[in-house]
Amino acid sequence: MTSTPSPNSAPRDVHGASPLGAVLAFSALASFAAGTATLSIFFVTAREPYSFTPLQQYALGLLVGVGYTLGALGASRVGRAFRSAGGSSRGLIARLSVTMAALVCLPLFTHRDGSVFVLLALYAPLTGCFWPLIEGYVSGGRRAGELRSAMGSFNVTWSLTLLASFFVPPLFPDSFRTVFVILALTHVASVLALLGFRREPGVPLADHHGVEEHAVPAGVPELLRVHRVLHAMSYLVMYALSPYLPRLLERLGLTGFGASALAASWLLARSLTFVVLGRWHGWHGRWSVAVVGTLFVLGGFGATLLAPGLGTGAIPVVAMGLFVFGAGLAALYTAALYYAFEVGGHEGGGSHEALIGLGYSIGPACGLLVLGLERGGCFDAGQRDVALLLVITVLCLGAALFAWRRRRVPSGSA
């Protein structure tokens, strides 16, 4: 692979890059709200007045995944349609934010189980459409060293505020409605950060005649093909675990802050790994990220899932497993996003987020499959965790093998 240009060789004739501070401020608030609504929501629905069963939790997760995927796949089309009608990307993001603020108010009027399902059925597609637009502002007008620096800051920012979102549910154990009020206010506040955005994400210009021709380094298309699949695989594992994690921790006697703190250890590991990979660029072009990231994700998932059977030693094993799991997720995420932008410029985010949605969908579907087999008498409840681990492992290893075999397909068929 040819070497990546150093930060000092990054083109300076960029046009239209929005101030990174404004982009990061918006991303922080949006990630806190959206992360609470789609990930730490499982710690809200696991308790009163909802008390969702594992089946309901996985069904809710599947709803999020399918909606997110549809939104991400349609993000470019929605953006083009909005701009052709005289709007701007900034205006579209503002409208999406206000709409999401209104949607999270739905459970304020009823605590029926269906209200959460209706909320996420409407909310998840908007988030899928939303994040590719934001990623366009991260990468737009930036290349080489500037892009790497912006990406690193972006990843650390959204992941830290997502970490903070895990502590919202236990802060209000007796007032679930307060959680949704906080989400609505956060979405509204995020709109203020849009004042610092340009109307559209910028693009690098070679000169006044047109857009800069970006030379894709040799080997990057192969790396992108593999990491795209592994990235989707990692989110599959994450969303096979997340809806189930509150109940798993209850079996260890952990609820409230104790459960949230332990569950958040994978988010902490992900944030720390983002910091490392954002500052150290020696991983660029190396296949070791794919191998180590995959082993960490599967190993951490397996340790977490099987730890309750260890008795008194379960909690340290879960903490270690979740930490390794989070580090693997961050490695695969960073590589997939970086190579997507290297190949696809500011349009790379749409495919990136669609793959996240694919993992969001398949992971809960695996959980529902295992629960269905259990109810059908294929195994008893005590073997559920082992069965889930086997299903996920087979799928992930199959995905890794597929990715490796497809790494050199012609660009036209990729």
Side-chain angles (χ1 to χ4, degrees):
M1 174 181 175
T2 57
S3 60
T4 305
S6 67
N8 292 332
S9 66
R12 304 312 306 167
D13 53 346
V14 297
H15 173 73
S18 291
L20 187 59
V23 176
L24 295 181
F26 181 87
S27 301
L29 293 169
S31 177
F32 178 82
T36 304
T38 60
L39 195 58
S40 57
I41 188 68
F42 297 113
F43 284 88
V44 176
T45 54
R47 71 184 195 216
E48 295 291 343
Y50 300 108
S51 298
F52 279 7
T53 64
L55 181 65
Q56 289 174 304
Q57 295 276 69
Y58 275 127
L60 188 64
L62 180 60
L63 182 66
V64 171
V66 172
Y68 194 99
T69 305
L70 293 175
L73 289 173
S76 294
R77 183 177 301 175
V78 170
R80 286 193 298 268
F82 193 79
R83 288 189 293 271
S84 67
S88 65
S89 295
R90 181 180 61 189
L92 178 56
I93 293 170
R95 284 163 175 78
L96 289 172
S97 299
V98 172
T99 303
M100 288 190 284
L103 287 175
V104 294
C105 293
L106 180 62
L108 301 179
F109 304 103
T110 175
H111 64 261
R112 293 180 181 275
D113 296 354
S115 66
V116 178
F117 280 90
V118 172
L119 160 63
L120 291 179
L122 299 172
Y123 187 94
L126 299 185
T127 60
C129 180
F130 179 83
W131 284 110
L133 294 169
I134 303 306
E135 287 161 2
Y137 275 97
V138 176
S139 64
R142 298 179 175 93
R143 278 296 184 194
E146 286 183 295
L147 174 59
R148 289 197 297 269
S149 177
M151 271 186 52
S153 299
F154 172 68
N155 286 340
V156 172
T157 298
W158 70 254
S159 64
L160 282 175
T161 52
L162 184 57
L163 170 63
S165 77
F166 259 54
F167 294 92
V168 174
L171 274 175
F172 308 99
D174 301 317
S175 179
F176 73 97
R177 288 186 174 88
T178 304
V179 173
F180 295 105
V181 170
I182 291 172
L183 300 190
L185 293 175
T186 303
H187 271 308
V188 171
S190 70
V191 176
L192 296 176
L194 290 175
L195 296 175
F197 281 43
R198 294 181 181 269
R199 282 178 55 83
E200 298 295 338
V203 292
L205 296 181
D207 52 35
H208 64 280
H209 294 295
V211 179
E212 172 192 29
E213 289 294 331
H214 172 61
V216 178
V220 166
E222 291 183 20
L223 287 159
L224 175 59
R225 292 186 193 105
V226 171
H227 283 90
R228 270 179 168 167
V229 177
L230 297 181
H231 173 57
M233 176 214 75
S234 71
Y235 269 76
L236 181 161
V237 182
M238 187 186 85
Y239 238 59
L241 178 63
S242 296
Y244 190 49
L245 192 55
R247 295 301 183 192
L248 186 148
L249 296 178
E250 279 185 10
R251 287 159 53 191
L252 302 180
L254 295 174
T255 58
F257 271 105
S260 291
L262 184 56
S265 58
W266 72 265
L267 294 162
L268 175 61
R270 184 163 68 170
S271 297
L272 293 175
T273 305
F274 281 149
V275 171
V276 172
L277 296 182
R279 293 180 176 275
W280 172 66
H281 304 140
W283 58 270
H284 291 172
R286 297 181 181 274
W287 290 102
S288 55
V289 175
V291 175
V292 174
T294 300
L295 292 176
F296 273 28
V297 167
L298 285 177
F301 175 71
T304 302
L305 208 59
L306 301 181
L310 299 177
T312 56
I315 292 179
V317 172
V318 169
M320 178 188 68
L322 288 174
F323 197 89
V324 170
F325 176 69
L329 285 174
L332 296 177
Y333 180 101
T334 303
L337 184 59
Y338 176 76
Y339 296 130
F341 282 143
E342 277 294 298
V343 171
H346 72 276
E347 294 294 334
S351 60
H352 177 81
E353 294 299 327
L355 287 171
I356 288 178
L358 181 64
Y360 274 166
S361 304
I362 299 176
C366 291
L368 290 172
L369 172 64
V370 169
L371 290 173
L373 292 174
E374 179 188 329
R375 291 193 172 192
C378 296
F379 49 84
D380 58 40
Q383 297 172 307
R384 178 194 301 165
D385 295 343
V386 174
L388 180 59
L389 178 58
L390 287 175
V391 169
I392 295 298
T393 300
V394 169
L395 275 176
C396 290
L397 293 179
L401 180 61
F402 171 80
W404 183 250
R405 287 183 171 179
R406 292 276 295 174
R407 71 191 186 281
R408 289 196 176 99
V409 297
S411 59
S413 60

